[in-house]
Amino acid sequence: MTSPRRYHITTFGCQMNKADSERMAGILEDMGFEWSEDPNEANLLLYNTCTIRDNAEQKVYSYLGRQAHRKHQQPDLTLVVTGCVAQQEGEALLRRVPELDLVMGPQHANRLQDLLEQVFDGNQIVATEPIQIVEDITKPRRDSKVTAWVNVIYGCNERCTYCVVPNVRGVEQSRSPEAIRAEMEQLGQQGYKEVTLLGQNIDAYGRDLPGVTESGRHQHTLTDLLYYVHDVPGIERLRFATSHPRYFTERLIRACAELPKVCEHFHIPFQSGDNEILKAMSRGYTHEKYRRIIDKIRQYMPDASISADAIVGFPGETEEQFENTLKLVEDIGFDLLNTAAYSPRPGTPAAVWDNQLSEEIKSDRLQRLNHLVSTKAAQASQRYLGRVEEVLVEDQNPKDPTQVMGRTRGNRLTFFRGDIEELKGKLVNGKITQARAFSLTGERVDILIPTGG
Ligand code: SAH
Ligand code: SF4
Ligand code: F3S
């Protein structure tokens, strides 16, 4: 009898990559592979990579170096690189690491079985050509039993001058509303309670699908999708990411306020608080427009939580322009902000401009921004003290087994005393007793009767 084939996946990068990894794991299990916690005991290793900043390629090469070495002792080891570095480097990866069996870009994730079968027939494969993404027919192996990601649009048609995503993820491709709803219905039946709809630029959802209304509007927009999937039975909470300020509409805000399952949390990256920099980034909005969106959201949902991404040290950014970013953060008071120092990426316009800033300036600005962010987030957190918040219990607190953890509708990580066996996947009311910058502690008040749909 042959021993079972075992696989291990290492995932870097964003939610898109995590969702792709879950689908690829599903495909591998369908093919008879079993998960191996220890990568060194697996005979198929898959690295799902990210190239958004820093020397992501170098990190991948260093991981691969070690495993390529192992392959000389264990010739049946299959080495796969997927994701955004795979797309960016393509053939170059094979030239540097000839032990690799398969290099495939993100658009090919759902074709993993097909490509692996070619590998097992003795081929070495690079799959990076643009394709129409095939609908996934296997079941993803999801990390959580409570919350799930559902892709709604792949790719990005924007051309932000710092960003590699359009190069590596290709053009926008929306899934049909029916396919999205069908996936969500299955999730509801399996006991999932929360779904996050995913897209790099989720506001672009539906633009590439056929059909316009009488008034000339696209028939399929994110707003329409929210109405269409809102009543999926079993799913109690809906989220979506990532929003682009350029396309964020009042119609969408109204829908979020109106639809009870849509959580009052919005992730809307602004990148910079300075109009000149925003222009150089080709973001297509001003800081005034961004502020108007946040005002509008707060008008409809006064307690909405707002998170965003920002970049410091973009080429040519002056101290004054950086201070405009600080000012925006000061004024809006984000619940969470992902910050990054600008990193030149291959194949992007800004990478070759001659007004690059020094690493010292970038890291100094990053520190100053991060300091302000945690001060503001700690302040924003205070509003939860003494309140009763609805928490969807996801897991045990890894640092304290007497506690469970979950998220509020505003996406704050929250801990309280409780038994995970009893509470996993339940919506629980917790009275908040401690508020830290990015997490809360509470006491259970009672269990909500699921509202059901
Ligand atoms: N689609 C989303 C996010 C894409 S990438 C959006 O439009 O906002 C996630 C985040 O990485 C970005 O929001 C940005 O803040 C950061 N990022 C992207 N390219 C970067 C670069 N070259 N250097 C530093 N940060 C970058
Ligand atoms: Fe990158 Fe801009 Fe597309 Fe976001 S919208 S993925 S930052 S190009
Ligand atoms: Fe990274 Fe690709 Fe996501 S570059 S951030 S994994 S789209």
Side-chain angles (χ1 to χ4, degrees):
M1 203 178 119
T2 54
S3 59
R5 297 186 294 175
R6 296 163 71 80
Y7 76 98
H8 185 91
I9 298 182
T10 310
T11 307
F12 306 89
C14 65
Q15 294 167 325
M16 243 61 62
N17 254 19
K18 291 181 181 141
D20 288 349
S21 283
E22 291 185 346
R23 290 202 313 281
M24 292 190 289
I27 293 172
L28 288 170
E29 299 207 345
D30 235 41
M31 292 174 73
F33 280 88
E34 283 172 21
W35 170 256
S36 161
E37 193 58 40
D38 181 356
N40 293 313
E41 278 169 21
N43 36 26
L44 186 146
L45 283 174
L46 188 151
Y47 294 92
N48 194 11
T49 59
C50 170
T51 178
I52 201 75
R53 56 181 165 254
D54 306 324
N55 279 320
E57 312 82 84
Q58 295 312 321
K59 220 187 300 171
V60 175
Y61 282 126
S62 94
Y63 276 98
L64 274 178
R66 258 169 281 155
Q67 295 300 342
H69 190 73
R70 197 178 124 208
K71 190 161 174 171
H72 292 275
Q73 275 89 54
Q74 191 193 329
D76 77 333
L77 181 64
T78 305
L79 290 177
V80 182
V81 180
T82 64
C84 297
V85 174
Q87 184 66 36
Q88 178 184 288
E89 301 291 297
E91 293 278 349
L93 264 165
L94 280 194
R95 279 196 294 274
R96 264 188 73 168
V97 189
E99 292 84 354
L100 272 177
D101 297 285
L102 171 59
V103 175
M104 57 183 247
Q107 292 189 346
H108 296 262
N110 294 353
R111 297 182 57 217
L112 181 63
Q113 172 158 13
D114 183 26
L115 295 170
L116 274 178
E117 276 162 8
Q118 297 177 45
V119 166
F120 298 143
D121 283 344
N123 300 296
Q124 192 184 36
I125 291 175
V126 178
T128 51
E129 70 283 6
I131 58 156
Q132 183 80 40
I133 294 173
V134 288
E135 264 302 326
D136 182 27
I137 39 154
T138 53
K139 272 215 310 266
R141 174 192 188 270
R142 301 187 194 259
D143 285 342
S144 166
K145 296 268 172 279
V146 180
T147 63
W149 289 305
V150 171
N151 291 86
V152 306
I153 178 168
Y154 301 100
C156 178
N157 288 6
E158 299 298 307
R159 278 287 176 272
C160 304
T161 51
Y162 51 82
C163 184
V164 290
V165 170
N167 302 352
V168 291
R169 291 262 158 182
V171 295
E172 289 165 0
Q173 297 186 41
S174 300
R175 291 176 68 200
S176 75
E178 293 77 20
I180 295 165
R181 191 180 160 105
E183 182 172 348
M184 288 178 63
E185 281 176 349
Q186 225 180 27
L187 287 167
Q189 282 158 17
Q190 290 162 9
Y192 283 86
K193 295 288 155 55
E194 179 179 300
V195 163
T196 303
L197 305 175
L198 280 189
Q200 276 296 355
N201 174 10
I202 200 160
D203 300 276
Y205 176 74
R207 271 193 239 164
D208 56 316
L209 295 175
V212 283
T213 62
E214 277 170 19
S215 60
R217 182 172 64 72
H218 282 285
Q219 217 159 37
H220 303 289
T221 64
L222 176 60
T223 310
D224 298 300
L225 183 68
L226 289 178
Y227 282 108
Y228 179 64
V229 300
H230 190 263
D231 62 348
V232 168
I235 303 300
E236 304 286 343
R237 284 177 167 186
L238 269 176
R239 303 180 188 276
F240 56 88
T242 300
S243 303
H244 195 304
R246 187 171 180 179
Y247 307 104
F248 207 89
T249 62
E250 184 166 354
R251 194 170 162 258
L252 175 62
I253 299 173
R254 223 180 301 127
C256 296
E258 209 175 284
L259 294 170
K261 291 182 186 175
V262 178
C263 292
E264 300 73 30
H265 167 236
F266 300 89
H267 184 68
I268 319 177
F270 62 86
Q271 312 301 1
S272 165
D274 182 84
N275 287 347
E276 286 301 310
I277 294 295
L278 285 170
K279 201 166 178 183
M281 288 175 162
S282 290
R283 289 289 288 178
Y285 56 87
T286 59
H287 78 89
E288 289 91 348
K289 159 101 191 255
Y290 187 83
R291 287 166 193 266
R292 279 199 298 276
I293 293 171
I294 306 301
D295 287 347
K296 208 33 112 194
I297 291 174
R298 287 180 171 164
Q299 196 180 311
Y300 281 88
M301 291 160 273
D303 195 42
S305 97
I306 313 283
S307 61
D309 304 347
I311 299 175
V312 301
F314 187 75
E317 184 189 67
T318 63
E319 171 62 23
E320 204 189 336
Q321 290 171 328
F322 166 64
E323 283 169 14
N324 285 333
T325 294
L326 292 179
K327 186 149 179 7
L328 188 72
V329 172
E330 179 67 51
D331 292 347
I332 290 183
F334 293 92
D335 291 277
L336 178 82
L337 185 70
N338 305 314
T339 59
Y342 169 74
S343 160
R345 307 309 297 135
T348 60
V352 293
W353 296 348
D354 56 13
N355 51 354
Q356 307 289 327
L357 303 186
S358 70
E359 290 308 316
E360 286 86 341
I361 293 184
K362 289 196 256 185
S363 74
D364 171 64
R365 288 183 186 168
L366 188 59
Q367 264 182 34
R368 285 157 66 199
L369 179 59
N370 285 342
H371 181 73
L372 178 62
V373 167
S374 40
T375 311
K376 297 300 287 187
Q379 283 171 14
S381 244
Q382 293 303 310
R383 74 181 188 277
Y384 293 111
L385 268 183
R387 266 207 220 163
V388 174
E389 287 284 316
E390 178 202 282
V391 178
L392 174 60
V393 179
E394 294 178 31
D395 248 312
Q396 204 168 52
N397 178 356
K399 291 190 191 135
D400 180 351
T402 68
Q403 287 189 336
V404 296
M405 61 181 193
R407 287 178 185 273
T408 64
R409 289 176 64 93
N411 213 33
R412 274 272 194 302
L413 190 61
T414 305
F415 304 97
F416 58 89
R417 192 165 292 279
D419 175 10
I420 192 63
E421 298 301 324
E422 178 200 350
L423 295 176
K424 191 164 189 154
K426 298 244 162 63
L427 287 166
V428 173
N429 269 346
K431 185 164 179 194
I432 306 305
T433 53
Q434 285 172 47
R436 293 164 299 273
F438 304 108
S439 65
L440 306 169
T441 302
E443 280 163 12
R444 193 172 146 196
V445 184
D446 60 38
I447 297 184
L448 288 186
I449 313 291
T451 50

